[in-house]
Amino acid sequence: MTLGELRDLAQSIRGEVGKAIVGQDGMIDLLLVAMVSEGHVLLEGPPGTAKTFLAQSFATALGLDFGRIQFTPDLLPGDILGSNLFNFQTSQFTLTHGPIFCELLLADEINRTPPKTQAALLEAMQERRVTLDGESHPLPDRFMVVATQNPIENQGVYPLPEAQLDRFLFKLLVPYPEESEEAAIVTRYGSRSGPPRPADLGVTKVADPAQLANASRVLDQVTLADDIVHYVVRLVRATRDHAELSVGASPRAAVMLANAAQARAALDGRNYVIPDDVKALAIPVLRHRLTLSPAAEIEGRDIEALVSELVESTEAPR
């Protein structure tokens, strides 16, 4: 696949998802970046802002095997991963796959289940495999988690452990739509009975497995110059030395930021990364990996504002 073919494929996917989703063009673009760079995405926003519908439409357009888990306080790890059940007819244990065995997993309202159950995703998100009773079971090569969560201010939610947050490439904040967009949503869906489905709105599959497999290989054609690498490293290391941050970003964050910048460049049809690619992705890559110091919290400081300040103060290559 060439850079031009990847750009055309991305445009087709945008068009299909746009049949179901009004607005949220930036969200769709970042989902495409995550798809190409093989990352996972965390969507945070109030109920009713089409987080789940966005994930369903994206999976439909890509033709991915879609799985959904509704995270609840009583959910157990086995409900996600599956288990070995004894078959009395054969006198043998038989593996029953859980819903995690799919290509795109929607972890719906992930922060409504306790950390013990949330941790069931750690190995799957990092290594794309699941271990049950000491035996490893591979997940599909295209395995991707799109998780949704309600803001922490909502009742009945648990904060995600830092180790799990660090496995998400992006944390995207889903806002309420603009007035014109909301009017278009009401016009499109107000006369429908029951919840909409992507297929009912004309969303069709526009990618095949071979195209998706080749999409990530296109990144080999994108040059990541040494000065861009050092720029990413300086930016990430600056989060660890900032007085208003008690926890900075990890080396994994630097790797993911560089990889996502390559994906953004490729989707834009370029075979080289520019500093603007890094700057555009810094906030969604870093916002969930940083923790404010107690003094900064008291002062009401904002993570996004701090990241923006670090981007401005970190010298970028010319």
Side-chain angles (χ1 to χ4, degrees), residues 276-290:
D276 284 349
D277 293 321
V278 178
K279 293 178 180 179
L281 300 174
I283 289 178
V285 170
L286 296 176
R287 63 158 55 105
H288 55 296
R289 295 180 159 92
L290 308 179

Side-chain angles (χ1 to χ4, degrees), residues 38-279:
E38 300 184 1
H40 309 290
V41 178
L42 177 62
L43 303 175
E44 179 179 293
T49 49
K51 300 185 296 297
T52 298
F53 196 41
L54 174 60
Q56 291 174 329
S57 302
F58 189 71
T60 300
L62 268 64
L64 297 176
D65 178 26
F66 182 75
R68 177 178 177 176
I69 302 174
Q70 187 66 48
F71 282 72
T72 56
D74 60 347
L75 193 72
L76 297 174
D79 298 328
I80 299 173
L81 306 178
S83 59
N84 284 306
L85 300 179
F86 187 75
N87 188 324
F88 288 95
Q89 294 179 337
T90 62
S91 298
Q92 293 180 336
F93 283 94
T94 303
L95 174 64
T96 302
H97 283 174
I100 198 172
F101 287 88
C102 62
E103 291 178 310
L104 192 149
L105 174 67
L106 173 62
D108 209 11
E109 296 189 83
I110 189 173
N111 61 341
R112 290 195 178 275
T113 197
K116 175 183 176 181
T117 304
Q118 294 172 10
L121 293 175
L122 291 178
E123 182 184 18
M125 293 176 67
Q126 181 64 26
E127 302 176 30
R128 286 179 168 80
R129 69 181 184 185
V130 168
T131 301
L132 293 170
D133 294 339
E135 184 177 353
S136 293
H137 304 274
L139 293 170
D141 293 337
R142 303 302 312 172
F143 178 72
M144 177 181 181
V145 175
V146 176
T148 70
Q149 70 173 16
N150 299 131
I152 198 66
E153 294 82 7
N154 287 30
Q155 293 184 349
V157 299
Y158 300 84
L160 295 181
E162 289 84 352
Q164 184 160 13
L165 285 172
D166 199 41
R167 282 165 167 76
F168 284 103
L169 170 61
F170 295 140
K171 177 183 177 182
L172 307 180
L173 303 183
V174 183
Y176 286 116
E178 300 290 339
E179 183 176 349
S180 59
E181 294 174 341
E182 193 161 1
I185 292 170
V186 174
T187 300
R188 181 178 298 186
Y189 300 114
S191 60
R192 290 179 173 270
S193 58
R197 293 180 299 178
D200 297 337
L201 299 167
V203 180
T204 59
K205 172 184 173 182
V206 294
D208 58 50
Q211 287 177 308
L212 296 180
N214 290 331
S216 297
R217 299 192 186 104
V218 173
L219 298 191
D220 295 335
Q221 305 173 31
V222 179
T223 300
L224 185 66
D226 288 343
D227 55 355
I228 297 292
V229 171
H230 290 294
Y231 175 52
V232 170
V233 171
R234 287 197 304 271
L235 180 59
V236 169
R237 290 179 68 87
T239 65
R240 303 173 202 159
D241 301 326
H242 200 288
E244 294 182 282
L245 294 172
S246 61
V247 176
S250 67
R252 181 192 283 137
V255 173
M256 286 187 169
L257 179 54
N259 196 228
Q262 283 184 291
R264 186 177 188 270
L267 289 166
D268 200 33
R270 284 181 282 109
N271 65 349
Y272 56 91
V273 178
I274 59 177
D276 284 349
D277 293 321
V278 178
K279 293 178 180 179

